[in-house]
Amino acid sequence: MAEMDPVKLMKQEVGRAAAAKVKSDTVVGLGTGSTTAFAIQFLGDRLASGDLKNIKGVPTSFQASVLAKKYGIPLTTLDEVDKIDIAIDGADEVDPQFNLIKGGGAAHTREKIVDGLAEQFIVVVDSSKLVEKLGSTFALPVEVLPMAVAPVTRALTALGASVDLRMGVKKDGPVITDQGNMVLDAKFDAIANPAEMEAHINNIPGVLENGLFVGVATEVLVGEVKDGQASVRSL
């Protein structure tokens, strides 16, 4: 039998480390993405073994909801809970101040609501996602009402971004979010002031939410592969 891909093993280990931080009798924000998917799987394993009891998950996407049901995690909604104890989610970029760019999976609007409400927000990434300045490697996703794509594109271009409407893979036409909107990917050389940029973009008429997460993360777990061995460290 072939050995497991080291990168997949690393993602598993980061997901396992994050899932290990969840305690019984808590509400858990369930993020979106490949690494977070392993965290959801391991939460299900802990529930099945009896190591973890009485948790409820708040999913950030249809993907997270499907995975939670698959692994036996009871789900709830923000209408039914008054707080989220801990959230686990990935990121596309992380700067030294724990500010993030998210939205590679087009779920950043729901993620920001859930992650922002969490008392503890654990980010799970690999070392390639660590940057000195946000925007240096990844375009900033901006969720936009369909009727506003053209004016918002002009507004983002005026801010210095190169803007593309995100198109589907193996699908004709643009990506449509869980809210029924479209995503503009705005590529900046670097974002000098993430908090200011986050507020500015969200004030553009037609923008629902952008992928800048400022002052939200409380811990970042980083997976690395060295000499074929997977390891996890906390920043």
Side-chain angles (χ1 to χ4, degrees), residues 15 18 30-31 37 43 53 68 72 76 84 92-93 109 121 125 129 139-140 146 159 171 186 193-194 208 225 228:
L30 303 175
L43 284 175
K53 293 181 172 65
T76 187
I84 295 173
D92 299 296
E93 285 188 344
T109 297
F121 171 30
V125 292
K129 307 298 175 65
L140 175 65
L159 288 175
K171 169 192 177 294
N193 189 326
L208 181 59
V225 177

Side-chain angles (χ1 to χ4, degrees), residues 42-57:
F42 290 124
L43 284 175
D45 291 347
R46 290 186 65 198
L47 281 172
S49 71
D51 178 52
L52 191 63
K53 293 181 172 65
N54 190 33
I55 68 166
K56 290 184 178 179

Side-chain angles (χ1 to χ4, degrees), residues 5-38:
D5 171 21
V7 173
K8 182 176 180 181
L9 182 60
M10 175 267 293
K11 289 186 175 187
Q12 281 191 342
E13 292 308 307
V14 179
R16 192 192 309 274
K21 293 179 177 289
V22 175
K23 298 175 181 177
S24 296
D25 305 308
T26 57
V27 178
V28 186
L30 303 175
T32 304
S34 58
T35 305
T36 315
F38 286 120

Side-chain angles (χ1 to χ4, degrees), residues 3-159:
E3 288 186 17
M4 183 176 289
D5 171 21
V7 173
K8 182 176 180 181
L9 182 60
M10 175 267 293
K11 289 186 175 187
Q12 281 191 342
E13 292 308 307
V14 179
R16 192 192 309 274
K21 293 179 177 289
V22 175
K23 298 175 181 177
S24 296
D25 305 308
T26 57
V27 178
V28 186
L30 303 175
T32 304
S34 58
T35 305
T36 315
F38 286 120
I40 294 172
Q41 178 183 341
F42 290 124
L43 284 175
D45 291 347
R46 290 186 65 198
L47 281 172
S49 71
D51 178 52
L52 191 63
K53 293 181 172 65
N54 190 33
I55 68 166
K56 290 184 178 179
V58 179
T60 59
S61 65
F62 182 69
Q63 181 214 30
S65 177
V66 168
L67 287 172
K69 290 172 183 174
K70 177 179 177 179
Y71 294 115
I73 300 172
L75 294 178
T76 187
T77 68
L78 296 178
D79 290 334
E80 297 169 325
V81 297
D82 55 9
K83 67 171 182 173
I84 295 173
D85 298 287
I86 184 171
I88 301 170
D89 211 344
D92 299 296
E93 285 188 344
V94 182
D95 76 6
Q97 290 74 45
F98 288 12
N99 297 317
L100 318 173
I101 284 182
K102 291 176 51 53
H108 55 281
T109 297
R110 293 192 187 188
E111 289 171 339
K112 192 176 285 191
I113 294 168
V114 172
D115 299 342
L117 288 171
E119 293 181 2
Q120 184 181 7
F121 171 30
I122 298 174
V123 181
V124 290
V125 292
D126 63 74
S127 57
S128 71
K129 307 298 175 65
L130 304 180
V131 297
E132 284 301 311
K133 282 191 175 295
L134 293 184
S136 54
T137 64
F138 200 82
L140 175 65
V142 181
E143 183 166 351
V144 182
L145 298 175
M147 68 173 290
V149 166
V152 173
T153 296
R154 289 193 291 269
L156 292 171
T157 302
L159 288 175

Side-chain angles (χ1 to χ4, degrees), residues 156-175:
L156 292 171
T157 302
L159 288 175
S162 171
V163 184
D164 291 306
L165 177 65
R166 189 180 299 181
M167 304 303 287
V169 177
K170 296 185 179 179
K171 169 192 177 294
D172 291 332
V175 167

